[in-house]
Amino acid sequence: MKKLKSDTGLVIGIVALAFVVVIIAIAVTVTPDDSGSTTSSSAETSSKKVESKAKLNKEKLPQLSDTVAADESEIVMHTTDGDITIKLFNKYAPLAVKNFIVHAKAGYYKNTTFHRVIKDFMIQGGDPNSATDPTSDTLGQGGESIYAPGAADADKKIDSGSGFKNETNYNLYNIRGALAMANAGADTNGSQFYIVQNNEDVTSQIDKNNYPTKIYDAYKKGGYPAGDGGYTVFGQVIKGMDVVDKIANAETKASSTGESSVAVNPVKITSIDVTKEAKTKK
């Protein structure tokens, strides 16, 4: 499997899978690392005590169902390569879901590109600057949350200007098709996001005792377990993974940091329709 490389210029701050550690800085925001190592904030290595296997197996795992539940929202992301339907988990990541939906409704993501794509890893988008200059070397630094000062839902208690907090739990994981927030470190979420595309078995990278059995099995179909605990997963692709694969498999060229992750012909998000919006409990 191709190593998952990290970049320090995207709105993500991921560090690696269990093969090789390769950290690539892209800008102010960092994305998932395809190198294979785990960060100190990942689920397996976090100082936070992991639940017992028995309790983990009793947790609700909404990503494993294609049905959109009453407490979940649904969006259709229209891209120049096709549509991607994603369900959002209001109950488990209310801040991230509201942030994404409000941005989507406002057209914040219109004509933005997937500015970082790595085959067998993930595709990343959400930088508003990519809509005006899709070839800029600084893509990955842009975007802010709806809670930031001066933004639509400004709330300094949620985002004082550096981003809003991570929302992690035992219910959502970086399995194939997961939609998650990119960040530049803990609690720095803005507008950028990524979709996990890797489709190769990554169970050798995790301790099965620290994961629900069904999630361990899901990781046999691909994913990015090194991101668990360090990034907010807030959605899951339920239709259109073929589109995600197509975007990830596009021809790329080197970025300013040397990472081969810049699409030669960037795919655009033309619009996002919110087809179902569940109420988020405050």
Side-chain angles (χ1 to χ4, degrees), residues 166-213:
N166 288 0
E167 298 170 283
T168 57
N169 47 63
Y170 296 112
N171 308 96
L172 304 175
Y173 299 83
N174 279 267
I175 60 175
R176 173 171 162 81
L179 171 68
M181 293 299 298
N183 63 47
D187 307 330
T188 59
N189 299 292
S191 67
Q192 292 187 46
F193 57 84
Y194 64 93
I195 299 175
V196 180
Q197 181 268 334
N198 172 49
N199 62 3
E200 296 186 24
D201 188 338
V202 291
T203 54
S204 63
Q205 302 170 25
I206 61 179
D207 182 346
K208 65 190 305 180
N209 294 313
N210 291 343
Y211 285 83
T213 298

Side-chain angles (χ1 to χ4, degrees), residues 234-246:
F234 66 100
Q236 182 70 28
V237 174
I238 57 176
K239 184 179 180 181
M241 274 306 294
D242 58 326
V243 177
V244 175
D245 288 332
K246 184 178 180 181

Side-chain angles (χ1 to χ4, degrees), residues 11 19 41 57 68 108 142 175 195 227 271:
V11 160
F19 295 140
S41 61
N57 282 336
V68 181
Y108 192 86
I175 60 175
I195 299 175
S271 64

Side-chain angles (χ1 to χ4, degrees), residues 77 100 109 114 123-126 179-182 191-194 269:
M77 183 180 293
F100 189 85
Y109 297 122
F114 284 100
I123 60 175
Q124 182 173 334
L179 171 68
M181 293 299 298
S191 67
Q192 292 187 46
F193 57 84
Y194 64 93
I269 295 174

